[in-house]
Amino acid sequence: MAKKKVAKSKSEILDFSKYVRWFWMLFAGGVLAVILLFLFASWGFYGEMPDPSRLANPETNLASEIISSDGKTLAKFYFDDNRTPIGFDELPKNLVDALVATEDVRHYEHSGIDGRGTLRAFFFLGKRGGASTISQQLARQLFIGHRDKESTTSALLQKIQEWVLAIRLERQYTKEEIIAMYFNIYDFGNNADGIRSAARIYFGKEPKDLDVKESAMLVGMFKNSSFYNPIPSRNPVGTRNRRNVALAQMAKYGFITEELKDSLQKTELDLNFTPETHREGMATYFRGYLQGFMKDWANDKNNRKPDGSKYDIYNDGLKVFTTIDSRMQKYAEDAVALHMPRLQAEFDNQNTPKRNKTTPFRELDQSEIKKLMNDGMKRGERWRILKGQGKSEKEIRASFHEPTQMEIFKWVDGKPAYIDTIMKPIDSMRYYKSFLRPGMMSMDPLTGHVKAWVGGMNYRHFQYDMVKQGKRQVGSTFKPFVYATAIDQLQVSPCDSFPRTPITIEANKFGNPESWTVKNVDANYSGKQTLKDALASSTNTVTARLMNEIGPQPVVEMAKKLGITSEILPVPAIALGTADISVYEMVAAYSTFANKGVYNKPVMVTRIEDKNGTILYQFTPESKDVLSEEVAYVTVNLMEGVTQAGSGRRLRHTGVDKYNAAYREIVTGYPYELKNPIAGKTGTTQNQSDGWFMGMVPNLVTGVWVGAEDRAVHFSSTTYGQGASMALPIWGLYMKACYADETLDVSTGNFEKPSSLNIDINCTARDEGDLGSDDIPEDNVDVDF
C-alpha cells in the first residue's frame, strides 16, 4: 500500500509540474505582451509619437511679448496661445510645493512612473487617488492632448503612451525642468496659457510674486480649468473649494503648517482679474500701431528665418522691446480715464434734445446731417462686411434701420461700462458720434523715445487711433512754427512789440485767391503787444503780421523740417492752424525746440529678439539739425510765457474753482500747482471742434488733442470747448503723476540756455498774479475758404 501511495504522489507531482510550466509560460507571455505593448507605443502603433530628438524642443505656439523700457510686459501678440515660457528659477517655492503636494508627492523619487501610485489606483479603482505623475501629465498635455476616451481599451492605450513619453521626458530633462514645462504648457482658461499668463490675468502679477493661497488656486485649476474657473460668471465657489484641497495637501505633507492652512482656507480668492486680449489691457492703441509695424517687419524679405520662411508674430515667441514706459503709460491712461467722463458729462448736459434740437450736431440742417450719416455708413465696418457678403446697396442701407442686438459703450459713474441692448445700427452710429475722444503722446525729446501713447479712451469700442492715424486741425498750436520761422529769418525778439490792430493780407500776395482778414476773438485791437505776450494770449492779428512779413512758404518748409509730413497749403491762413496734423507729428516737431533745434524721429521699438534671445532687429536713430540752438531756445522762451501769463497758467495757480463753475466741472485735477519751468501752447479750432495742449519740460514733450469724430460735434462756447479746458487737464494730471513717482526722472529744471545768446529775451510780460484775466479767450481759426 505504501509503495502505491508513493507512486501516486510522483504522478501528482508530474501533473503539478505541467501547471508550473504553464504558469511560467503565461507569465513570460504576459511580460512579453507588456514589453510589446510599450514597444508598439514607442513605435507609434497606437498613434503618432514624437521623434525623441523633438523632446529637446517641444513644438508649442509661443506668444510674442511686448516689453516696456522699464522691463515690464505690456501685452502679447498671440493667435491661439497667449503663452510666454519661464524658467524654474522664476517659479516661487510655494507654487512648486503646491504642485508636488497636490499632483505628485513622489515626483523627486520616481523615474516618470509612480509604481506605488499605480498599484494603489489599480487595486482601489482610483478611489484613493490617481496614478498620473507630473511627467505623465506633461506628456499628455505636450504631445497627446486630451483625446476623448471612447472605450476602456483606448484609455489604456493612451495611458501606455503617457508612460512611454514620461520615461523619455525623465531621461531628457531634470525634475525641475519638467515642473517648469508643465506650468508653461497648461491652459488655465481666459487666455491664460501657461503660468506667466495665468499669474498676470488672475492676480495682476508675475509668477515670482504669487503668495501661498494664489499658488494653491492656480495648482487647483490643474484638475480641470474649464470647470474650476474662478471668474464670477463661472465657478468661483468650486475653485475656492479646490484651492482649499490644495492647501490641505500642502499641510498634509508638511509644506505649510496646519494653522496657516486653516487661516488661508477661510479667505476669499481675492482675484485681480486683468484680461489679456487684443482689445483690453495696457497700451491697446500703441499695440495696434505696433501690430502693423511688426507685420511690415515680418513681410520684409530681409527679415527671414534661417530656413527662409517668414516670422510669425503671433506664434514664434518674439520679444519686442519698446520705448514705452509702463509707469508713464499707466499715468497717461489714468489721466484720460479721469478727465474724459467728466468732460463727456458736461457735453451731454449741454446737448440734450431740449438744448440742441439736432444733437449731437451743431450748425447743420437735416439734409446735411443725412449726408453725414450716409457717408458714415459707407466708411463703417458693417457696410464693408455686408458688401463682402454680396449684399446690394439697398439691402445694406435697409439693414441699418433694423433693430439689432448689440453691446454699446457708456460712461457710468465715471467708469467705462458695456451695456447689452437692442438698437438700430443707424441710431448706434449717431450715439457714438456724440462721444468726445482723446489722443495723447509723450516723448523724450533728447532720444526720440516715445514714453506713452493713448490713441483713445476705449479700444474695445473706439479703435481709430488719434495719435498717428487721425489728423485734425491744430489751431494755435501751429503758431510756434510761425514764430520760429520769424525768429530764424528776421531775428525778432520775444520783446519786440507789434500792433494788435486788424490786418488784411491782400488777394494773390501769397497765392491766396481772396484777401484774408484776421480777427481777434476777444475783439481787442488797441495798443501793442510783445511777441511773448501775443503768443501767451494767442493774439491772431500779431501772428498774421509775422506771416505777412515772412510769407507762408518758409513756414511750410520749417514745419516740414520739423517732421510734419501732412499736407500744408502755403497760404496765409495756416498761421492760425488750418492744417490737419496728427498728435504724433506735433509732439515730434515740438521736441525739436526742447532738443536745442535737433529733430529726432520718434522711436517706438528699440530691438526685436527671437525666442532664444538672438537679436533680429535693432533701431538706428534718425536725427537732423533743423534750427540753431539760439532760435530753438528763444522759441521755447516764448512758449514759457503761455504757462506764466497765458491760457496755460491754470497749471500753476489755485483758487479759481471757487468762483468759476467750469473749473469745478471739467478742469479735472485742478489745482495742479506745477512750479517748474513749462513751455507750452493751447489750441482751439473754429467752433471749438478741436482742443489741443502741447506742453514740454526739458526731457519730456507731451501733446494732447480732444474732439469728436465729426467737426460738427462740439461745445457751444470756448468756456468749455477751448484747449485749456478740453486737453490741458489731461496733461496736468499726467505730469502730476509723473512728478509724484520718484522712480521717474522727469525734469523740474530750466531749459538750458545757449552759451551764445544774441537775441534779447528779458522783457516784461503780463502780470502773472492777475487771475482775473485767466480765461483769456482762446483763438479760433476764423477763416472761410
Side-chain angles (χ1 to χ4, degrees), residues 166-192:
I167 292 170
R168 288 183 179 179
L169 286 167
E170 291 274 349
R171 290 174 180 173
Q172 199 81 27
Y173 296 100
T174 66
K175 293 288 187 180
E176 291 76 14
E177 289 172 329
I178 287 171
I179 286 176
M181 289 175 66
Y182 188 40
F183 274 118
N184 285 327
I185 201 66
Y186 193 76
D187 179 1
F188 290 88
N190 300 306
N191 290 322

Side-chain angles (χ1 to χ4, degrees), residues 78 207 227 290 339 434 474 535 629 653 750 770:
Y78 61 91
F227 181 74
L290 187 60
H339 180 59
S434 70
V474 293
L535 186 63
E629 189 175 342
H653 61 53
N750 292 307
D770 180 13

Side-chain angles (χ1 to χ4, degrees), residues 728-739:
L728 180 144
I730 293 175
W731 194 95
L733 287 164
Y734 169 67
M735 292 300 290
K736 276 185 73 173
C738 286
Y739 282 130

Side-chain angles (χ1 to χ4, degrees), residues 143-212:
F143 299 115
I144 299 175
H146 293 285
R147 290 204 300 255
D148 292 332
K149 298 172 183 176
E150 299 173 355
S151 66
T152 303
T153 301
S154 63
L156 177 61
L157 293 178
Q158 178 173 322
K159 182 62 68 175
I160 292 170
Q161 286 180 300
E162 291 174 18
W163 284 344
V164 172
L165 291 175
I167 292 170
R168 288 183 179 179
L169 286 167
E170 291 274 349
R171 290 174 180 173
Q172 199 81 27
Y173 296 100
T174 66
K175 293 288 187 180
E176 291 76 14
E177 289 172 329
I178 287 171
I179 286 176
M181 289 175 66
Y182 188 40
F183 274 118
N184 285 327
I185 201 66
Y186 193 76
D187 179 1
F188 290 88
N190 300 306
N191 290 322
D193 300 309
I195 189 62
R196 181 144 188 248
S197 293
R200 287 168 54 84
I201 288 173
Y202 292 120
F203 298 109
K205 58 177 65 174
E206 292 296 326
K208 62 183 176 62
D209 300 318
L210 292 170
D211 61 28
V212 174

Side-chain angles (χ1 to χ4, degrees), residues 571-582:
V571 294
I574 63 171
L576 305 187
T578 57
D580 291 328
I581 303 174
S582 68

Side-chain angles (χ1 to χ4, degrees), residues 102-103 129-130 137 146 182 186 217-228 242 245:
T102 307
E103 298 292 328
Q137 293 177 54
H146 293 285
Y182 188 40
Y186 193 76
M217 191 205 85
L218 293 174
V219 166
M221 292 177 71
F222 278 119
K223 183 78 172 177
N224 183 338
S225 60
S226 296
F227 181 74
Y228 296 109
R242 181 62 190 166
V245 170

Side-chain angles (χ1 to χ4, degrees), residues 25-65:
M25 287 173 64
L26 289 173
F27 179 78
V31 172
L32 181 61
V34 170
I35 293 172
L36 287 174
L37 281 172
F38 278 85
L39 284 174
F40 290 160
S42 65
W43 294 337
F45 283 16
Y46 314 136
E48 183 181 357
M49 294 281 281
D51 186 277
S53 63
R54 282 178 51 201
L55 295 177
N57 293 289
E59 293 180 5
T60 57
N61 293 330
L62 303 179
S64 291
E65 190 173 2

Side-chain angles (χ1 to χ4, degrees), residues 722-759:
Q722 62 175 298
S725 297
M726 291 212 295
L728 180 144
I730 293 175
W731 194 95
L733 287 164
Y734 169 67
M735 292 300 290
K736 276 185 73 173
C738 286
Y739 282 130
D741 188 336
E742 295 180 357
T743 65
L744 295 175
D745 186 27
V746 180
S747 173
T748 57
N750 292 307
F751 291 90
E752 186 178 345
K753 185 182 293 188
S755 56
S756 176
L757 183 62
N758 298 315
I759 299 175

